[in-house]
């Protein structure tokens, strides 16, 4: 087991250096990381082969083996990602508010790094590079806990990233690797040194983290996403969106799990949808009305909560737009939900009242992604509402501080009327 | 004891209505609140007299009695605040990002209410009106727990606000009053209905809340604020800033608790400062060097952590700017810290490296306040870094959602190359 207190302390010291570092240095480090990963690729691929061999011995399922594999294609993707990240503007040091408070006294709100962030993620080793590089770009230090199946690969990747940071004049300890559940439990205790925990996983896992730490938690949990086919839907479009949302990739959090259909068009729509889903071998579960229209198994109360991550779909017929909204808010996970309709007022009501990070009109739920949104990459998709919501890129890894530049102003002067508040918006960058 | 599950449920329902409400209705409700408070003032003042009589019986200290008192002057202040709040722009429904993702597919990031917020605050009854009105303006429902000394006043105020909301066509349950510690404990369990807890109080109190809830917590805790007098300080300015920061109002979280003085100017500065602090009867505690220059009692390790909220000041001589920064980051509460110096590079280093919500140059720490910053009012001053930091006004009570407006776009089309990402920034408001 690692000494997590020492690791968190080292991360804190590294974070202070990063917070004061120049963007040219951080960008150079990102380019050096891409070069270093390419230079060490034999070593990294060998480590990954060892992980894969072990995983095969342990009878890991084929899709998981695919996620674990790290070879030429994934290396090319992560190095391209690192070089693209170096081109993005600096997320820290940006002035987001400037105001004169009284004569000669100027307030600036400036973006800055959060500090030390603990991230717990699944078996994909490319996630390690994405998370660590987003952290470095935004001036943060990270403690990383990846899937145990990827341990050898993660070690090799993390060492390459640390070496690249060091060779660029930044602290290698900006990224450190945790290796066990005991490490995670110890990390959760370091609330004076760690500013934020980002757990990616199931609702149960995120709850475990919240129950065991005083550190703020941004959960990246289940995606129980809905498509609602309104009575005013273009039914052909609704077939295509349902098929894409369900089957384009079933193993991801932005895949649809429940389809809601307005009663007024159910008898027309469901028979159109059936062959398209049958062609993809989707298992169908429906309520009584759905069962009376197309062949399917009965859906139970649990199905409305279920994140299948598989070729399975629950279908419910609703009486109204209001019922659809109520269902989504009650059973959904506040991730991403889409309405298909030609009625703009119905779309507006759905998008205003559905309490989810993503509310879509006439588009597949599969678009909920940081790269797709143009954020460069993502740390994950936040399912809470506090700080960051939905696909979380560089901006989600920043906070802000207020800088107040004066020339001896005193509160006593404001209270006795010697000075008065001017409160003039300035629209200028902070000079310090 | 109240039925907190029912109250939280009612708040959730109210929050859905508020989230979809028009700003003209919310502003009308704010004006109606001011009118209603004035119409009910006899009743409110009578309730406050009962609270005051009880508090005097219980031998409450004079400053606390002053905070508890709610008469003409405070009524005028809160009604003026309500009317000013009605004039501020709508914090929700604002488009903060707009981007075309692919042809015909537009992404908008829109500010929206958080939902249901629990706020626990101290004995000042005017805080109830400020918090409830900021919540309503930003479309949130609140569960409010004030100080027990103010119970009668809080009931009268809350009833007036609820009646005004109701008469304006908004749900009265946007504001509900908790009345006991048991109510608070029960509220902390309602993590499926409540989105955020804002506790105002001591560090210990905030930790208790964090330890007993899965609901995200934005703590508004201790203010251990510093003034650092650099070797390049204008010493007269540094005397005035130290006196203002310490004595202008000792009972508030933005008052200075520890003064740091550079060794190079300590022998000149401290004898200048002494008479000014003696004139205000400030009790002085110092390290060995300070004791060798001016008369004072010895400061202990605990003093560097202490929030006195009184006419007491701990003073330390530091060897360098780095030592000052290290002291502030180690012992401070990340609230507000000020450097006095004519050296801009020293100011820049201090402001970049001190990890606090407010980092000030040549100005009193007493300026850390939502009204002073031009936010209209504040819910409190957040001492954490996640979501909101420092004085928290309307913006801190909002989150955002992504609205994606399409015309049938599918992920399969992006993957097979039928469509490509355009990622063009649009700078336009969301039409839905």
């Amino acid at each position: 087991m690692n000494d997590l207190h020492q690791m968190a302390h080292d991360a804190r010291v590294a974070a202070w250096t990063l917070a004061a570092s120049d963007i040219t240095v951080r960008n150079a480090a990102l380019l050096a990381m891409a070069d270093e990963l390419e230079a060490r690729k034999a070593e990294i691929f060998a480590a990954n082969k060892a992980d894969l061999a072990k995983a095969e011995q342990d009878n890991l399922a084929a899709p998981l083996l695919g996620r674990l594999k790290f070879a030429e294609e994934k290396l090319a993707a992560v190095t391209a990602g690192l070089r693209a990240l170096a081109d993005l503007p600096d997320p820290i040091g940006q002035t987001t508010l400037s105001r004169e408070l009284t004569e000669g006294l100027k307030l600036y709100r400036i973006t800055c790094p959060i500090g030390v962030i603990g991230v717990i993620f699944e078996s994909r080793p490319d996630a390690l590079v994405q998370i660590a590089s987003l952290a470095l770009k935004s001036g943060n230090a990270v403690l990383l806990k990846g899937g145990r199946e990827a341990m050898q690969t993660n070690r090799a990747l993390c060492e390459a990233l640390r070496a690249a940071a060091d060779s660029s004049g930044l602290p290698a300890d900006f990224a450190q690797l945790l290796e066990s559940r005991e490490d995670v439990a110890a990390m959760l205790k370091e609330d004076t040194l760690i500013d934020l925990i980002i757990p990616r996983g199931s609702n149960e896992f995120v709850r475990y983290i919240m129950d065991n730490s005083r550190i703020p938690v941004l959960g990246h949990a289940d995606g129980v996403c809905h498509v609602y086919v309104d009575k005013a839907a273009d039914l052909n479009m609704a077939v295509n969106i349902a098929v894409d949302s369900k089957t384009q990739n079933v193993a991801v959090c932005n895949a649809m799990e429940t389809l809601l259909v307005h009663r007024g068009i159910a008898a027309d729509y469901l028979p159109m949808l059936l062959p398209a889903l049958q062609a993809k071998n989707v298992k169908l579960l429906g309520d009584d009305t759905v069962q009376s229209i197309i062949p399917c198994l009965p859906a139970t109360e649990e199905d409305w909560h279920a994140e299948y991550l598989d070729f399975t779909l629950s279908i419910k017929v609703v009486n109204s737009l209001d019922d659809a909204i109520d269902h989504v808010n009650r059973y959904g996970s506040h991730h991403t939900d889409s309405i298909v309709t030609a009625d703009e007022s119905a779309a507006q009501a759905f998008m205003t009242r559905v309490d989810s990070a993503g509310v879509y009109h006439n588009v597949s739920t599969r678009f909920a992604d940081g790269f797709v949104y143009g954020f460069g990459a993502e740390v994950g998709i936040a399912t809470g509402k506090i700080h960051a919501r939905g696909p979380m890129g560089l901006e989600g890894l920043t906070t802000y501080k207020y800088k107040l530049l004066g020339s001896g102003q005193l509160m006593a002067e404001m209270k006795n009327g010697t000075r008065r508040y001017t409160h003039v918006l300035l629209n200028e960058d902070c000079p310090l």
Side-chain angles (χ1 to χ4, degrees), chain A:
Chain A
M1 185 180 153
N2 287 304
D3 180 348
L4 258 293
H5 183 70
Q6 186 62 47
M7 286 172 70
H9 178 266
D10 295 345
R12 167 63 61 196
V13 172
W16 283 331
T17 302
L18 276 167
S21 68
D22 197 86
I23 183 61
T24 57
V25 178
R26 278 177 276 129
N27 285 339
L30 293 171
L31 298 176
M33 285 175 179
D35 294 344
E36 194 70 31
L37 290 173
E38 285 167 350
R40 296 188 184 202
K41 72 176 187 176
E43 188 184 322
I44 293 165
F45 294 166
N48 188 248
K49 285 206 177 98
D51 280 335
L52 282 169
K54 174 84 167 52
E56 277 170 31
Q57 265 182 7
D58 296 348
N59 293 313
L60 221 67
L64 290 178
L65 288 175
R67 291 162 68 87
L68 178 55
K69 188 175 175 185
F70 190 92
E72 291 289 357
E73 199 185 346
K74 288 220 188 132
L75 177 69
V78 300
T79 54
L82 284 164
R83 288 170 180 134
L85 187 58
D87 277 342
L88 291 182
D90 191 358
I92 68 175
Q94 304 299 318
T95 302
T96 57
L97 175 74
S98 53
R99 180 177 283 154
E100 184 192 80
L101 302 188
T102 184
E103 201 189 333
L105 185 65
K106 293 181 174 184
L107 178 74
Y108 301 88
R109 187 173 63 197
I110 313 287
T111 61
C112 62
I114 290 174
V116 178
I117 304 175
V119 187
I120 308 159
F121 56 101
E122 64 284 15
S123 57
R124 272 192 313 120
D126 40 329
L128 183 145
V129 181
Q130 286 162 2
I131 294 164
S133 59
L134 286 166
L136 183 121
K137 176 89 183 192
S138 53
N140 293 288
V142 269
L143 300 173
L144 298 153
K145 170 64 174 67
R148 50 189 297 132
E149 307 80 9
M151 176 117 44
Q152 306 287 343
T153 318
N154 285 341
R155 279 183 191 156
L157 291 171
C158 193
E159 273 314 307
L161 301 184
R162 288 168 54 90
D166 186 57
S167 73
S168 309
L170 291 176
D173 284 340
F174 92 96
Q176 298 175 72
L177 202 58
L178 278 63
E179 301 209 336
S180 66
R181 289 186 185 178
E182 292 72 30
D183 285 355
V184 171
M187 174 172 75
L188 297 182
K189 308 279 180 228
E190 297 296 337
D191 58 291
T192 60
L193 292 169
I194 301 173
D195 297 296
L196 179 66
I197 301 287
I198 301 178
R200 306 193 339 186
S202 66
N203 280 339
E204 291 66 39
F205 175 67
V206 171
R207 270 200 291 270
Y208 159 80
I209 299 291
M210 289 176 171
D211 287 348
N212 286 280
S213 188
R214 277 179 188 152
I215 306 170
V217 174
L218 286 192
H220 295 237
D222 292 355
V224 180
C225 300
H226 300 77
V227 171
Y228 165 57
V229 181
D230 187 50
K231 65 180 175 197
D234 173 329
L235 298 189
N236 283 310
M237 185 194 287
V239 169
N240 291 335
I241 286 176
V243 171
D244 194 75
S245 297
K246 178 68 255 180
T247 70
Q248 199 279 323
N249 185 346
V250 297
V252 289
C253 60
N254 61 20
M256 168 177 63
E257 304 296 1
T258 298
L259 177 69
L260 302 172
V261 180
H262 192 282
R263 188 170 298 279
I265 48 89
D268 293 326
Y269 175 65
L270 291 172
M272 289 171 65
L273 179 65
L274 182 67
L277 290 177
Q278 283 175 330
K280 303 274 186 179
N281 288 316
V282 178
K283 176 182 165 188
L284 301 180
L285 305 161
D287 67 7
D288 290 348
T289 311
V290 176
Q291 292 172 59
S292 74
I293 302 173
I294 58 170
C296 64
L297 296 167
T300 64
E301 176 76 8
E302 284 85 66
D303 285 305
W304 311 128
H305 291 287
E307 186 185 31
Y308 303 113
L309 296 175
D310 204 344
F311 286 90
T312 302
L313 176 68
S314 58
I315 310 179
K316 185 178 187 177
V317 167
V318 294
N319 292 323
S320 64
L321 172 66
D322 281 354
D323 284 359
I325 293 169
D326 287 349
H327 182 99
V328 172
N329 283 336
R330 179 165 172 196
Y331 294 103
S333 65
H334 312 292
H335 189 296
T336 302
D337 302 287
S338 185
I339 180 173
V340 184
T341 187
D343 174 355
E344 292 218 335
S345 70
Q348 183 161 32
F350 184 89
M351 297 172 91
T352 301
R353 289 167 50 206
V354 165
D355 191 15
S356 295
V359 283
Y360 288 11
H361 179 211
N362 288 344
V363 59
S364 164
T365 58
R366 287 279 293 115
F367 283 80
D369 176 89
F371 171 76
V372 171
Y373 280 11
F375 301 164
E378 66 182 30
V379 184
I381 298 189
T383 46
K385 295 191 206 174
I386 303 305
H387 190 77
R389 197 177 194 195
M392 182 173 161
L394 289 169
E395 210 174 315
L397 295 176
T398 67
T399 179
Y400 53 79
K401 56 168 65 169
Y402 289 97
K403 294 188 178 180
L404 187 60
L405 305 187
S407 44
Q409 285 81 0
L410 309 175
M411 185 52 67
E413 298 170 321
M414 309 309 301
K415 298 283 182 185
N416 71 20
T418 317
R419 289 181 184 276
R420 61 177 193 82
Y421 292 107
T422 52
H423 284 159
V424 181
L425 279 175
L426 295 174
N427 201 21
E428 67 181 34
D429 284 343
C430 182
L432 287 187

